[in-house]
Amino acid sequence: MMEKQALPASSCSLVLLEETKKSPITLSNGGGGSGYAPAAANGSLVPLTVAGTGVAGGVVGTACVGQDKKGGVVNGAGPGYQERETWTRQMDFIMSCVGFAVGLGNVWRFPYLCYKNGGGVFLIPYLLIVFVGGIPIFFLEISLGQFMKAGSINVWNIAPLFKGLGYASMVIVFFCNTYYIMVLAWGFYYLIKSFTATLPWSSCNNEWNTPSCIEIFHHQDCKNASFANITIGSSNMTCADLADARSPIIEFWENKVLNISSGLDEPGKMNWELILCLMAVWVLVYFCVWKGVKSTGKIVYFTATFPYVVLIILLVRGVTLPGAYDGIMYYIKPNWSKLEEAQVWIDAGTQIFFSYAIGLGALTALGSYNRFNNDCYKDAFILALINSGTSFFAGFVVFSILGFMAAEQGVDISQVAESGPGLAFIAYPKAVSLMPVAPLWAALFFFMLLLLGLDSQFVGVEGFVTGILDLFPGKHYHRYKREIAVAICCLLCFIIDLSMVTQGGMYVFQLFDYYSASGMTLLWQAFWECIVVAWVYGADRFMDDVARMIGYRPFPWMKWCWSFITPCVCIGIFLFHLVNYKPLTYNNVYVYPWWGEVIGWCLALSSMLCIPVSLLYKLFRAKGTFKEVNKTGGRGRSWTKPSAVTTWRRGVEVLQGPLMDWTFDSDVLTQGEI
C-alpha cells in the first residue's frame, strides 16, 4: 500500500477526523464478532494509531510524521508530546501487579482472619466476594488504564463530571505511601539487628529491659493455685507476679524500637536510628522508581519472586518444628457455625479490597503502560489467583511457626495468634528466637518482609507520580521532569514520616492506618467506580471498549457485577462499618483523645469528599440550565467522552484511542476551537 505524503500534525489530525466521519466503524452494544476490527496474526486486535499505518474496518490510519519548528520529528500526538512508555515485555506488568497487590497483608492479615473466622470455612465468603467484588473491580481498573492510556486522574475523562474519583485515589495512595513505608523502616531496623550472635530481643540483659522482663514464663508450673507464691525459674518472680511480666521481644519493640510515650499528646524526641533506616528505605524507593516502568519492570522480578523462595524455606523449616501440626490444624479446621455471623462476611470483603489494592489508582497506572491489545481480562484472573493463593499459602507458614511458639510456651494457639505489626514484630521474632541458628532465620524473615513491602511501596509511588505527571502534558516538558517529580514526592512523604519516628510516632501511624486508607475509604471509592463506569459511561459501552482491545467480549458477569452486584456489596459492607464504628485504641488500652479522632476523620474525609465536592464544583461552574449542563457540560460537549478518546491540545484534535465507534456532536467543532 502506498503511503500518503507526510503532513503536519494539525493536518494529520483533521484528515483522520474527516476519514473517520466518512467511514465510521460502529459496534452494537449487543456485541458479536462482526462489529470488531479484524485481528492480527496472533489473534489480537490491530488498533489504529495516529503514528504508523494500519487498516481496521476499512479506515486507514496514515503515518503523520513531520518536522516541528525546531526540526524534530513529531507524531500524531502533536508537537512536543512524547509517546507513553510501555512495558518492555508483558511479564513486567504481571510481576509489577504481583509485587504491588501481594504485600504484607497477605502474610500478616489473611492467616489471622482465616483462623479467627472459622478456619477453612472462611474461604467460602472469601472466594464468593473475590468473584463478585475483587476480580470485577480489579479488572475494571486495569482495563480502564489500558484503554485510556492515562493515570488515575485522567482516566476519568470518560466522565469528567466525576473526575473527583481520580483525585480521591491520589489522596488515598499518597497517604498509603506516607505511612506504609514505616513498616519497611521497622523491618530494615530488625534486619540490621539480626546480624548478631545473639538476637537482642531474645534476652532480658539489655539496657531497655525492665525488672518485669522474663524470658520463659513457666505457665505449666503455675497451674496449681497452691503454688501461687513460689519463686519460678531464675527470675525471682512468683506466680502472682507472672500476670504483669513482659517478654523481652515486647520490651524490645516498645522500649527500644518505638520508645513509646504515654499518648498522642506526648510526641517526645526522635529516634535517630529509625530516621536513618527511614532515609535509607526512601532512597532505595527513589532509585527504583525514578526512571519509570522500564526500570521498575526489571526490579520487580526479584522483589516479587524472592519472597516466595523465603516463604518456601520457612515452611519447610516450620513443619519440622514441634507443635507445627497443631498450629496448621487451628488454621484450617472448619467451624461451620461462623458462617452465620455477619462479621465473618465483612472481614472477607474488607480483606479482598485491601489485598487486591483496589481504589488506590496504582493498578490503573500500571495498566496504562500496557500495549493496547493486551489481554487484560485474562491477566485479571491470573493475578487474582496468585494474590489469593499467596494469602492461603502464607497461612501455613505463619501458623506452623505459631504452633511451635504455643507449644514452647505451653499456652493455647489463641494467645499467640496475632495480626498486623503484632505478628511481624512480636510473635514471629519471638518464634525465630526459639529456633536453632536464630539469627539466620530472623534475617531471612525480615528480608522477606522488606521485599514484600518494597515492591508495594515503589509501585504505589509510581502510581502517584504517573497521575501527577499526566496533569502536566508535553507543553510542560522537561528533560528531568519525572526524576524531579519522584524526588519531590519522596521528600514530602519523608518529612511527614518524621512525625512517626518520634516517641509518639506509633499513635500517628495508627491514625493513618485506621482512617486514611481504611476499609470505608476503599469501599466508598470502589462503589463510585462501579457506578460511574456502569451507569454514567455505560456498562455495555465499556464492554465494547474492552472488546476492541482484547478481541472478544468478556463474559456478561462482569457487566452484571459493575452494574448491580459489586455496588451492593460495597455499600453493604460500608454501612456495616459505619454502624459498628468503634473509636481507635492502642493495644486495647489507650483510647485516643477526641481531637485525635477528629484528625483521623479529616484524613478519611479528605479523599471521600473529593468526589461530591468535585461534582458540585463542575456543576456550579458550568453555564446553562441543569438539563443543558447535564447534557453538554455548558461547553457544547458531553460529560461522557466518546469511545475513541480525544484531547484538545494547542487547538488540534489528537486521537489517542482506536478510531472506532466515534460520534460527533454538531457543536463540537466550533469556530475558535480549531
Side-chain angles (χ1 to χ4, degrees):
M1 181 179 66
M2 184 178 296
E3 293 187 1
K4 295 184 179 180
Q5 183 179 358
L7 299 172
S10 57
S11 301
C12 168
S13 302
L14 294 175
V15 167
L16 288 173
L17 285 172
E18 291 302 318
E19 287 181 348
T20 310
K21 286 182 181 181
K22 294 174 184 177
S23 306
I25 301 174
T26 59
L27 178 64
S28 66
N29 287 338
S34 61
Y36 302 119
N42 62 358
S44 59
L45 286 175
V46 183
L48 288 175
T49 56
V50 174
T53 60
V55 180
V59 180
V60 179
T62 307
C64 298
V65 181
Q67 299 288 324
D68 65 5
K69 294 180 180 179
K70 297 181 181 179
V73 177
V74 296
N75 57 25
Y81 288 83
Q82 294 182 314
E83 291 186 6
R84 194 173 190 82
E85 283 185 291
T86 57
W87 302 105
T88 304
R89 57 184 65 86
Q90 194 54 33
M91 186 54 68
D92 295 358
F93 166 70
I94 297 292
M95 298 307 296
S96 295
C97 285
V98 169
F100 181 62
V102 177
L104 298 174
N106 300 75
V107 175
W108 74 16
R109 181 173 166 83
F110 176 85
Y112 174 78
L113 289 179
C114 198
Y115 152 73
K116 170 191 168 188
N117 292 305
V121 169
F122 183 68
L123 293 178
I124 296 175
Y126 179 85
L127 292 175
L128 185 62
I129 297 179
V130 162
F131 284 100
V132 302
I135 293 177
I137 304 181
F138 193 87
F139 171 56
L140 185 150
E141 293 193 358
I142 291 176
S143 57
L144 192 59
Q146 182 173 313
F147 181 75
M148 294 290 288
K149 291 294 181 187
S152 57
I153 295 179
N154 282 355
V155 292
W156 297 107
N157 283 337
I158 64 168
L161 190 61
F162 294 90
K163 206 168 182 177
L165 268 167
Y167 296 113
S169 66
M170 292 290 284
V171 172
I172 296 173
V173 79
F174 176 76
F175 286 148
C176 277
N177 293 339
T178 301
Y179 83 86
Y180 187 83
I181 202 166
M182 281 307 304
V183 180
L184 306 186
W186 294 329
F188 189 55
Y189 182 83
Y190 271 80
L191 178 63
I192 294 173
K193 295 293 184 180
S194 298
F195 294 103
T196 55
T198 303
L199 294 175
W201 57 81
S202 62
S203 67
C204 293
N205 304 320
N206 305 288
E207 59 179 356
W208 57 82
N209 293 126
T210 65
S212 300
C213 181
I214 181 172
E215 295 178 20
I216 303 176
F217 280 76
H218 297 282
H219 286 284
Q220 294 292 339
D221 297 338
C222 294
K223 285 187 176 179
N224 193 328
S226 63
F227 295 105
N229 294 320
I230 67 168
T231 301
I232 58 172
S234 58
S235 59
N236 295 323
M237 278 191 180
T238 65
C239 291
D241 299 328
L242 198 60
D244 298 323
R246 291 161 60 87
S247 70
I249 179 58
I250 292 179
E251 294 206 338
F252 177 80
W253 169 242
E254 293 191 348
N255 298 349
K256 175 62 176 174
V257 180
L258 300 180
N259 194 15
I260 194 165
S261 66
S262 60
L264 185 64
D265 54 344
E266 295 183 21
K269 61 183 180 180
M270 292 185 179
N271 185 331
W272 66 270
E273 290 180 309
L274 278 183
I275 292 176
L276 292 178
C277 290
L278 180 65
M279 189 181 301
V281 177
W282 267 123
V283 169
L284 189 60
V285 169
Y286 175 78
F287 285 109
C288 287
V289 177
W290 71 322
K291 289 299 182 182
V293 296
K294 298 295 184 183
S295 61
T296 305
K298 304 297 182 294
I299 296 167
V300 291
Y301 276 90
F302 176 71
T303 58
T305 56
F306 190 75
Y308 289 96
V309 176
V310 179
L311 280 173
I312 292 171
I313 294 173
L314 291 174
L315 177 63
V316 172
R317 175 57 181 154
V319 295
T320 61
L321 295 170
Y325 176 80
D326 294 330
I328 292 174
M329 285 298 102
Y330 264 97
Y331 171 52
I332 62 174
K333 184 179 179 181
N335 181 358
W336 298 99
S337 63
K338 287 286 188 178
L339 287 177
E340 301 173 0
E341 299 179 13
Q343 186 63 48
V344 174
W345 296 82
I346 301 304
D347 283 346
T350 306
Q351 173 62 15
I352 291 297
F353 285 91
F354 269 116
S355 65
Y356 278 50
I358 288 169
L360 302 178
L363 294 175
T364 304
L366 294 178
S368 71
Y369 296 117
N370 279 336
R371 292 175 293 105
F372 181 78
N373 59 352
N374 171 61
D375 193 346
C376 52
Y377 184 60
K378 179 183 69 177
D379 290 347
F381 282 92
I382 292 173
L383 292 167
L385 178 64
I386 294 173
N387 193 315
S388 297
T390 302
S391 298
F392 189 62
F393 173 71
F396 289 94
V397 181
V398 170
F399 272 84
S400 65
I401 303 295
L402 294 182
F404 161 72
M405 186 175 171
E408 281 289 302
Q409 295 184 5
V411 297
D412 190 76
I413 190 74
S414 61
Q415 294 182 248
V416 295
E418 295 191 56
S419 175
L423 173 66
F425 301 112
I426 296 177
Y428 214 99
K430 173 63 177 176
V432 297
S433 69
L434 300 174
M435 295 182 188
V437 201
L440 171 64
W441 301 108
L444 265 180
F445 173 75
F446 287 111
F447 187 54
M448 179 196 70
L449 197 75
L450 191 62
L451 292 182
L452 276 174
L454 259 181
D455 45 17
S456 297
Q457 180 70 24
F458 62 65
V459 174
V461 173
E462 172 70 45
F464 180 78
V465 171
T466 298
I468 294 296
L469 292 181
D470 282 351
L471 294 177
F472 301 96
K475 61 183 178 180
H476 301 285
Y477 176 74
H478 186 280
R479 182 179 179 183
Y480 299 107
K481 178 172 70 172
R482 180 180 183 84
E483 289 85 343
I484 294 171
V486 175
I488 292 173
C489 173
C490 293
L491 181 61
L492 182 59
C493 290
F494 175 77
I495 292 172
I496 298 174
D497 286 333
L498 292 178
S499 65
M500 302 183 199
V501 294
T502 62
Q503 290 177 276
M506 188 61 182
Y507 303 110
V508 179
F509 173 85
Q510 275 209 324
L511 271 182
F512 274 81
D513 184 46
Y514 194 76
Y515 290 101
S516 67
S518 65
M520 284 197 296
T521 57
L522 298 181
L523 290 163
W524 176 261
Q525 182 79 1
F527 170 78
W528 282 107
E529 285 182 7
C530 291
I531 293 298
V532 171
V533 169
W535 296 101
V536 179
Y537 184 73
D540 282 314
R541 193 180 188 185
F542 189 65
M543 290 283 278
D544 289 344
D545 296 337
V546 172
R548 294 187 182 98
M549 293 190 294
I550 66 177
Y552 60 91
R553 195 176 178 85
F555 188 65
W557 174 257
M558 289 293 173
K559 180 179 70 174
W560 302 336
C561 286
W562 296 335
S563 302
F564 306 104
I565 304 173
T566 306
C568 290
V569 170
C570 291
I571 203 66
I573 300 176
F574 176 85
L575 293 174
F576 184 89
H577 270 289
L578 205 59
V579 170
N580 293 277
Y581 169 77
K582 296 178 182 178
L584 180 60
T585 61
Y586 177 73
N587 277 351
N588 295 319
V589 176
Y590 173 75
V591 180
Y592 277 66
W594 66 268
W595 53 270
E597 284 198 67
V598 169
I599 294 173
W601 276 107
C602 287
L603 293 174
L605 293 175
S606 62
S607 63
M608 296 172 69
L609 290 179
C610 284
I611 302 167
V613 168
S614 175
L615 187 150
L616 293 174
Y617 174 79
K618 288 180 180 292
L619 285 176
F620 284 118
R621 291 276 296 178
K623 299 177 182 179
T625 65
F626 180 80
K627 185 176 181 180
E628 293 170 340
V629 167
N630 190 47
K631 181 180 179 182
T632 66
R635 295 193 300 271
R637 208 175 300 175
S638 174
W639 281 117
T640 59
K641 295 286 186 181
S643 297
V645 186
T646 65
T647 54
W648 293 87
R649 292 175 175 169
R650 300 185 184 179
V652 177
E653 182 77 353
V654 179
L655 292 172
Q656 293 180 316
L659 302 179
M660 303 176 186
D661 195 25
W662 179 250
T663 56
F664 293 89
D665 294 333
S666 59
D667 54 351
V668 167
L669 303 178
T670 57
Q671 184 177 4
E673 291 196 275
I674 288 189

